[in-house]
Amino acid sequence: MSVFTIFAILSFSGISDAATVITKKEVTISYGEETKSTAPVYLYAGQILGVYVDISSTSGKTHWFIRDSNNIIIKEGTTDANFTTGAPVGEYRLYFSCGSVDLNCSAKGILSTQQP
């Protein structure tokens, strides 16, 4: 088990007291990559989305966002994140986008569906 996996489990441990993780998808963007996303997760009625983002690059140009299957962005940011949020039933992905000219971005993220 990688250090990132252990950290991600620990970071969700506070949430898991109140929610059970149903589906979890991970994504990593590295130097030289412009855009990257998780595989889709499907949010069913009564579930919530869990979001974990760890930005390790210092360029300040790493942008994350959650997009639904209609290409609507429901949450976004440029800093680390660890939260849950409600959203309509549907399919979602967590994206990373690098705005640095030399593509000097690195970050890891998890998008999960959870049952409160």
Side-chain angles (χ1 to χ4, degrees):
M1 190 177 303
S2 74
V3 172
F4 175 73
T5 303
I6 292 169
F7 182 75
I9 290 168
L10 291 175
S11 69
F12 277 113
S13 64
I15 295 169
S16 65
D17 292 341
T20 302
V21 174
I22 306 299
T23 305
K24 180 176 83 169
K25 303 295 180 181
E26 299 180 19
V27 61
T28 300
I29 190 168
S30 301
Y31 180 81
E33 296 177 314
E34 187 172 0
T35 305
K36 200 110 176 253
S37 78
T38 62
V41 299
Y42 194 85
L43 188 70
Y44 292 95
Q47 293 180 344
I48 55 177
L49 289 173
V51 180
Y52 171 79
V53 173
D54 178 23
I55 297 175
S56 53
S57 60
T58 58
S59 68
K61 302 289 185 177
T62 306
H63 177 235
W64 63 265
F65 52 97
I66 301 168
R67 181 181 281 165
D68 69 11
S69 56
N70 296 314
N71 288 324
I72 297 171
I73 295 174
I74 64 161
K75 296 282 184 185
E76 62 185 319
T78 56
T79 59
D80 293 350
N82 189 2
F83 63 91
T84 58
T85 186
V89 169
E91 187 178 278
Y92 296 89
R93 290 178 187 247
L94 171 62
Y95 288 83
F96 284 119
S97 176
C98 184
S100 171
V101 174
D102 60 357
L103 299 179
N104 186 17
C105 295
S106 61
K108 297 178 181 182
I110 299 171
L111 182 63
S112 64
T113 59
Q114 301 179 16
Q115 188 67 50

